[in-house]
Structures are given as structure tokens and as C-alpha cells.
Amino acid sequence: MKDFISINDFSPEQLKELLAESSQLKRLYKSGGRDLCLTGKTLAMLFEKPSLRTRISFEVAMTDLGGNAIYIRPEDIGGIRKQEPIKDIARVLSRYVDGIVLRTFEHSAVTELAAFAAAPVINALTDWSHPCQAMADALTISEHCGRIEGVKIAFIGDGNNVARSLAFASAKLGIKMVIASPARYELDADTINKANQVSAGSVQQINDPAAAVRDAEVIYTDTWVSMGQEKEKQKRIADFAGFQVNSELLKSAPPDAKIMHCLPAYRGFEITDEAAESANSIIFDQAENRLHFQRALLKKLMA
Ligand code: CP
Ligand code: NVA
């Protein structure tokens, strides 16, 4: 494992090993222990989009493991694909640092960076996927449901980067995922086909949110307007009407179904404040697990 770009690149065993290491490091740090496996190592973190969770949790994870992180805004280096090509950024950074994190728009930017970088490259979100999120989500699901295999998730909303990575994670880890989206916002057929080639889990795309949540153990949603889609905001808000996670939809779900959201949450749009703040909501455990998963990932790729 050199890079971490898409969950679909890895075997179920590799993903389970990362989850086990995440739990082990979580226990270690909660008990006041330390694993300084990255002493003297540096991570470069290049972010073309804003971030609260991903940026801060990667920086804290590096510090926790004894290393150091450098946050780079695109304007600091003359932009990405603007001043110099990605292949040059990859080779220069690899001479200085031991790992590179990239959050960007086009997924090809992260694959190109990885192809030319000697250092490991981590996808911190592209328009196509968000694998670190889905792995932290799997950890959260295992903690709250007591297992991963066979858990039923209903994803309500956009067939976006977060849904796609969750679909790949579901397939590999044995989760049964149903995604309910409005017409034209479904997950692409290629993702669904690839996910369903793995026999462990399953991914089903439908258009009816009430049917999706009917026997769900976990109900998951994400913004209707992802970063970079701001110009489509009004149209999307209209198109996603009826796809809000709210008390009306939850009447169709089992009463103990957990509520997840990768955050940031736009209350009053994809989720109501009431649902986000309800006793069934596990959104902050989910956010916390970004840190625990990423410690394990950094250790695996850089130690
Ligand atoms: N969930 C997530 O990736 O959040 P940030 O955009 O704040 O990093
Ligand atoms: N789908 C969202 C996820 C944010 C973490 C976006 O890409 O903006």
C-alpha cells in the first residue's frame, strides 16, 4: 500500500486491518499512551477547498505520532496545474516530505500526483471520492452497531463523493447500502456495478427515501451542494425537496436507527436541526473517528 486514493483499490482484509489499527490507536491515545512512530517525519497538506475536520484531524494525528504537518494553500505555490505541473509538484515535495495529502476538485489531480510522487499520497476529498471519511464512518458504524457485516445503511440525498466512497466501503466490508436520490442525482452505474462485483456487501440505488429507511440501522446524509457546486445551489435545493432527513422521514425508520452526517451539515436543508441533535445522532463520534482512522493510515503509509 503506497497511496490511499480510493477504497476500491484495497482488499477487504487491508481495510479491516486499517480499522483494527484505528481502534487500537484510539484505545492507546484514550488511555494516555503514545505511539511516536512518525518521529522526524513531515506531511505536506495541500488543500484547494476549505476544511475543518480533515485538515485539523490530519495535523493533530501527525503531531500525536511525533511528526510534523505543513499546510499549503494553492496560492502559496502558484496554484495547482497553474504555475507548475502536478508531476513537478509531486517530485519536488517528495524530496522534502514523507507524505502528501491533497484535497482538490478533479480526481485525476490526486491520481497524477500519486503517479509521480515517491512519497505516499492521501486523497483528502476530490469531487469523485472521500475515502478517509468512509473509513472513519465504518469505524463509527462498527462501534455503534457492534459489527459491520450485514449492517443496513440508508443514504439519503446526493450520489456524490461521500456516497461513492461509502458505497465502496459498504461493498468491501459487507454493509448493505441503499441510496435514495432524486432523479439525475443518483450514484453512477459504474460505481454501483463495481461495488456490486464484491460479494460481501451490496449497493442499491432507489428514488424513494421512505423505502430506503424502512429497515435501516443507520441513516446517512450529506449536503445537497458540495464544494464547487455553489452556482447550482438554488436548482439543487429545489431538486432535493423531499430528501431531507427530518422527523417525518424518521417515522418510516426503526426508532433506534442511528443518524450520521459527514459534516458540515446545512440544517434546514438536507437535515433538520432536530434530527442532527437527536439522541440517535452519532455525528460527533463520526467526526472524532476521522482522527483515529487517520492516525492508523499515516502509520501504515509513513512509519
Ligand atoms: N467531513 C469532512 O471532510 O469535513 P471537512 O470538509 O471539514 O474536512
Ligand atoms: N460532499 C461534500 C462533503 C464535504 C465533506 C463536499 O464535497 O463538499
Side-chain angles (χ1 to χ4, degrees), residues 122-161:
I122 297 173
N123 173 1
L125 182 146
T126 66
D127 291 346
W128 191 76
S129 66
H130 197 4
C132 295
Q133 180 68 55
M135 290 300 286
D137 296 343
L139 180 63
T140 312
I141 290 164
S142 72
E143 290 171 348
H144 279 276
C145 299
R147 69 196 204 289
I148 297 188
E149 196 108 16
V151 170
K152 292 181 181 163
I153 302 184
F155 186 101
I156 308 300
D158 197 8
N160 62 11
N161 45 8

Side-chain angles (χ1 to χ4, degrees), residues 50-54 103 130 133 227 262-264 290:
S51 170
L52 171 65
R53 282 143 291 272
T54 309
R103 169 170 285 198
H130 197 4
Q133 180 68 55
M227 292 178 275
C262 58
L263 304 178
R290 297 294 308 278

Side-chain angles (χ1 to χ4, degrees), residues 216-245:
E217 289 164 82
V218 173
I219 298 168
Y220 195 126
T221 190
D222 181 22
T223 183
W224 295 337
V225 187
S226 285
M227 292 178 275
Q229 297 173 335
E230 292 77 9
K231 284 199 189 112
E232 300 168 31
K233 184 173 175 184
Q234 289 316 319
K235 179 171 168 40
R236 283 177 164 267
I237 289 171
D239 290 347
F240 280 92
F243 286 79
Q244 185 184 63
V245 175

